[in-house]
Amino acid sequence: MTKKISYNSKIRNLAIIAHVDHGKTTLVDAMFRQSGTFRENQVIEERVMDKLDLERERGITIAAKNCSIHYDEVKINIIDTPGHADFGSEVERALFMADGAILLVDASEGPLPQTRFVLKKALEKNLKIIVMINKIDRSDARVKEVIDEIFELFITLDATDEQLDFPILYSVGRDGVAKKKLEDESKNLKPLFDLILNYIPGPIYTENEVFQMLVCDLGYSDYLGRLAIGKVINGAVKKNDSLVCIDIDEKIKPLTVLNLQTYEGIKLKEIDGADQGDIIILAGIDNVRIGDTICNRDNPKAALRIMIDEPTVSMLFTVNTSPLSGREGSYVQSSKLKERLFKETLKNVGIQIEEGDSPNAYNVKGRGELQLAILIETMRREGYELTVGRPKVIMREKNGELLEPIEHIFIDAEDSYVGIVTEKLSQRKGILSNMSTNSTGRVRMEFLIPSRGLIGYRSEFLTDTRGTGIMNGYLHGYERYKGDIPTRHTGSLVSEKNGKAIAYALSHLETRGILFVVPNDPVYEGMIIGENNKDNDLNVNPTKEKRLSNMRSVSKDDAIMLTPVLPMTLEKAMEFIKDDEMIEITPKSIRLRKRVLSVLERKRMRGEKYKADEEEDED
């Protein structure tokens, strides 16, 4: 008997795809207001979908989130997807809940690399795409050229003829205006709402099938425990139903639906039951992971599991072993660190945790430096103290040949900086694949470069381009190992004493390099207090005080003037450290240190290495 396929016309599940700062969250704000989700006199903050503090501070979407609006008696579930390739796991699980997508593109900047990454995933899932050219009121808007670039992007991503026949809208998200044609008069988003209802299909389901739901996200409630979030693929569900959960090993675990909720605006609403295609929050099972299927107990069927790209970068996480450990954080024990890291894998499918070579050490793998930096910053704000090593690229081996990940990066810079950018990237094994100049005098360059070549380059790039350059990229694929890449050419100024930094000592060390500490900062043996001008590490004493036996009344001795020190950021620290160095992270401080703190122990290790090298040369 042939199974009949149907669509739920009362629901639309819609993802929004956009590069960072192209106006995605602002557009969602306008959709909320004009759909009646908020009362006219209701006071709301801007960018309501950026719920995390880190998202508001950085102006990017980190975690995929859900909300809903109602228009013309149709419920529109909106899925806010991250625009950065490092959060690709968030993108992939979010798109499993969508049946269509809005591709939002800036009218001046055009489609950028992260847009390409998310769009590629959407096309692979054959989602219906609506293209919106946003910020058409910009003085430097180039609408026709951007549309040509979007068509070219679709073709590059092997879009079918049907996918190339996408509708286009023109918008000013800040003003809540959308138009079918540039010359049209419009005062609201009605053209967008009408297009969503007429072009994006309702969720598809098979008639007479039993209940089936794919878990795409996880939540937690102090009252209900673990929450499974996902889209109802087939059938219907009611509160108190007896179901089962099928995990990655196809083991079946029974559960009872204790509570059902759905998205109503940006809040959750308790419901008695849900039909096909809706996105729901289900309580009743503790041991559930993203990708599991919750289905009928009498006829269990697993849905297609969420598959994501493999991680490309790893970092070593260990407990904080410095002399300052425990002074600033609430969680310093190894057991707490392990518990928190493995908890992250439950809700973040892009993170993998492995036991390290030594006790209390864990290898954390992710999709990029930014994803791992966000994890570290989140843990830091939760009160954790930890130490992390330098990011390392994960290699692969195929047919006895070593392969490494290659990034396709796009650089937008003024033409006067083309030379220095090209020179630096070529030293890092980068190959220029394309270059074009636009009417504003800026140059767009495309490079294929090993992922490890980008570690430590981003801050250098901003310095070289005087902060005016823009660099983005995505994983291109794996290619044969490109050979050694030179790392930082300078050494470190390493403290050989414990105590507090003294202005007198720091004033004499300024000639040696760039300092990272200021007077009265705590220092300890093995802590990196600055960057040496030369290529070797230098042990120094930042706690040395001036002898008072030979006092003078010269005024310059009364006030020592030091060069201002830029605060150390996590990203800057990750780019700076070498393989034998680590970052000490606490809720209040970011410090750099040597992996081995003892001066004598480091000297002994260097001596053994030097002796081993000599013996190798003699052989």
Side-chain angles (χ1 to χ4, degrees):
M1 182 179 175
T2 305
K3 294 182 179 180
K4 188 177 179 182
I5 303 297
S6 296
Y7 296 87
N8 188 344
S9 60
K10 293 296 182 182
I11 295 176
R12 300 291 186 275
N13 295 321
L14 182 74
I16 301 185
I17 298 168
H19 190 83
V20 175
D21 201 33
H22 278 201
K24 172 177 54 179
T25 313
T26 306
L27 175 67
V28 174
D29 284 356
M31 293 174 74
F32 278 142
R33 289 188 175 92
Q34 295 187 27
S35 65
T37 302
F38 299 129
R39 300 187 309 272
E40 288 187 14
N41 62 344
Q42 185 174 350
V43 178
I44 58 168
E45 56 185 333
E46 292 185 352
R47 298 189 292 131
V48 293
M49 288 297 282
D50 283 347
K51 299 175 184 175
L52 306 178
D53 290 339
L54 279 172
E55 292 180 318
R56 291 184 173 276
E57 290 171 18
R58 295 170 179 254
I60 62 174
T61 300
I62 295 170
K65 294 176 287 295
N66 300 65
C67 62
S68 74
I69 60 176
H70 288 269
Y71 182 78
D72 200 15
E73 298 184 356
V74 175
K75 181 182 182 182
I76 303 174
N77 286 312
I78 299 174
I79 303 151
D80 187 17
T81 62
H84 200 287
D86 279 17
F87 307 109
S89 58
E90 295 287 324
V91 172
E92 284 154 309
R93 67 174 179 78
L95 292 181
F96 264 89
M97 296 185 279
D99 301 296
I102 295 175
L103 174 62
L104 194 68
V105 181
D106 189 291
S108 172
E109 296 182 2
L112 292 177
Q114 311 307 341
T115 311
R116 178 192 186 104
F117 171 79
V118 187
L119 179 61
K120 180 174 182 289
K121 298 292 182 184
L123 291 175
E124 287 173 356
K125 298 188 182 304
N126 203 28
L127 301 185
K128 290 279 190 178
I129 309 292
I130 295 173
V131 172
M132 283 191 76
I133 311 297
N134 195 29
K135 303 185 183 181
I136 57 174
D137 59 333
R138 284 184 59 159
S139 58
D140 57 349
R142 45 186 195 93
V143 176
K144 291 183 179 179
E145 292 89 339
V146 167
I147 291 174
D148 290 340
E149 291 173 8
I150 293 172
F151 269 107
E152 187 177 335
L153 175 59
F154 271 72
I155 293 169
T156 305
L157 295 176
D158 298 324
T160 63
D161 291 341
E162 185 182 353
Q163 289 172 331
L164 284 169
D165 189 23
F166 51 78
I168 301 175
L169 292 177
Y170 307 92
S171 66
V172 182
R174 184 189 60 227
D175 299 338
V177 171
K179 308 175 181 180
K180 289 184 178 179
K181 296 181 181 178
L182 273 173
E183 60 271 16
D184 287 353
E185 290 292 330
S186 178
K187 296 181 180 178
N188 52 40
L189 293 174
K190 187 177 185 302
L192 172 61
F193 289 132
D194 289 342
L195 192 56
I196 291 172
L197 266 55
N198 297 327
Y199 184 72
I200 303 296
I204 190 172
Y205 65 94
T206 305
E207 290 188 8
N208 302 319
E209 276 286 333
V210 293
F211 174 72
Q212 196 179 36
M213 165 188 159
L214 181 68
V215 180
C216 297
D217 198 1
L218 297 174
Y220 183 80
S221 165
D222 291 334
Y223 303 101
L224 301 170
R226 176 69 68 195
L227 303 174
I229 303 168
K231 174 183 172 184
V232 180
I233 301 171
N234 289 310
V237 63
K238 290 184 175 64
K239 195 184 293 186
N240 299 321
D241 277 358
S242 295
L243 305 172
V244 294
C245 176
I246 305 176
D247 65 15
I248 191 170
D249 298 319
E250 298 189 357
K251 292 181 181 177
I252 295 177
K253 296 170 284 189
L255 70 105
T256 300
V257 181
L258 302 178
N259 184 275
L260 273 180
Q261 295 173 303
T262 187
Y263 293 95
E264 197 67 34
I266 57 174
K267 298 180 179 179
L268 297 177
K269 175 186 175 184
E270 193 168 328
I271 55 176
D272 294 323
D275 294 326
Q276 303 93 337
D278 204 357
I279 296 172
I280 62 171
I281 301 95
L282 183 150
I285 182 170
D286 291 329
N287 190 12
V288 61
R289 298 179 71 104
I290 291 173
D292 291 353
T293 301
I294 296 176
C295 54
N296 184 272
R297 179 172 292 188
D298 298 327
N299 189 15
K301 290 182 182 178
L304 183 66
R305 196 170 185 87
I306 296 175
M307 301 300 294
I308 66 165
D309 295 339
E310 290 295 311
T312 58
V313 175
S314 72
M315 288 179 72
L316 182 69
F317 282 50
T318 69
V319 294
N320 185 10
T321 56
S322 86
L324 303 178
S325 173
R327 295 188 183 184
E328 298 175 353
S330 305
Y331 307 108
V332 296
Q333 306 93 331
S334 171
S335 59
K336 292 291 185 182
L337 175 64
K338 180 179 181 180
E339 179 184 328
R340 176 61 181 84
L341 288 176
F342 280 94
K343 181 182 175 184
E344 185 69 21
T345 63
L346 294 176
K347 61 181 180 179
N348 190 341
V349 289
I351 294 287
Q352 295 180 9
I353 311 293
E354 294 178 356
E355 298 278 353
D357 296 333
S358 58
N360 307 328
Y362 308 93
N363 287 316
V364 181
K365 298 180 179 180
R367 296 284 287 272
E369 290 174 75
L370 180 59
Q371 186 186 30
L372 296 178
I374 292 295
L375 171 60
I376 294 167
E377 185 64 36
T378 303
M379 292 176 63
R380 178 189 179 202
R381 295 184 183 206
E382 292 172 357
Y384 286 85
E385 284 193 18
L386 64 152
T387 307
V388 300
R390 176 178 169 83
K392 293 185 177 181
V393 169
I394 300 171
M395 303 289 188
R396 289 183 181 177
E397 192 169 327
K398 186 177 181 181
N399 299 327
E401 190 174 48
L402 190 63
L403 304 178
E404 66 174 325
I406 303 295
E407 300 276 341
H408 188 172
I409 64 169
F410 297 72
I411 288 178
D412 187 316
E414 295 178 13
D415 54 7
S416 57
Y417 302 128
V418 170
I420 186 68
V421 170
T422 306
E423 179 187 347
K424 292 283 183 72
L425 288 178
S426 63
Q427 292 172 0
R428 295 167 176 264
K429 307 295 183 182
I431 299 173
L432 180 65
S433 60
N434 193 19
M435 185 167 70
S436 60
T437 307
N438 59 30
S439 57
T440 60
R442 292 179 70 87
V443 178
R444 285 194 175 187
M445 297 174 282
E446 297 180 33
F447 288 85
L448 292 174
I449 182 171
S451 297
R452 59 194 170 95
L454 291 176
I455 296 176
Y457 176 68
R458 294 182 190 277
S459 59
E460 199 174 320
F461 168 75
L462 290 175
T463 302
D464 291 341
T465 60
R466 304 294 188 271
T468 62
I470 300 171
M471 181 170 70
N472 294 288
Y474 63 91
L475 181 65
H476 176 71
Y478 281 77
E479 294 182 8
R480 192 171 60 184
Y481 183 71
K482 303 294 182 182
D484 293 336
I485 295 176
T487 55
R488 172 163 61 96
H489 298 293
T490 56
S492 300
L493 298 176
V494 186
S495 173
E496 59 183 13
K497 298 287 184 180
N498 297 339
K500 287 190 175 181
I502 304 297
Y504 172 76
L506 296 181
S507 67
H508 286 80
L509 293 177
E510 280 194 327
T511 59
R512 297 286 192 174
I514 301 171
L515 297 181
F516 300 152
V517 297
V518 296
N520 290 323
D521 275 357
V523 296
Y524 54 82
E525 182 182 10
M527 177 176 163
I528 298 169
I529 65 156
E531 180 179 5
N532 190 9
N533 290 329
K534 297 182 180 180
D535 61 359
N536 62 304
D537 293 339
L538 184 65
N539 294 317
V540 296
N541 182 8
T543 65
K544 183 178 180 181
E545 298 187 28
K546 182 180 179 181
R547 292 185 181 180
L548 301 179
S549 58
N550 186 21
M551 295 190 66
R552 299 178 183 179
S553 60
V554 182
S555 59
K556 70 179 181 181
D557 285 349
D558 296 337
I560 296 172
M561 300 297 291
L562 296 172
T563 305
V565 174
L566 290 174
M568 179 61 68
T569 64
L570 180 56
E571 282 85 352
K572 183 180 175 183
M574 289 169 64
E575 293 171 356
F576 177 83
I577 60 173
K578 292 184 176 180
D579 289 338
D580 66 333
E581 298 169 347
M582 301 191 80
I583 310 168
E584 177 192 349
I585 295 156
T586 74
K588 296 180 180 178
S589 308
I590 293 177
R591 306 182 185 98
L592 306 184
R593 51 163 283 184
K594 286 292 182 180
R595 191 181 295 265
V596 177
L597 296 179
S598 167
V599 175
L600 292 176
E601 184 67 18
R602 290 201 308 276
K603 284 182 178 179
R604 185 185 67 78
M605 291 173 65
R606 280 202 306 272
E608 288 179 356
K609 184 177 185 301
Y610 179 72
K611 186 177 179 181
D613 290 343
E614 274 191 334
E615 291 174 356
E616 196 173 293
D617 291 340
E618 289 174 5
D619 291 343

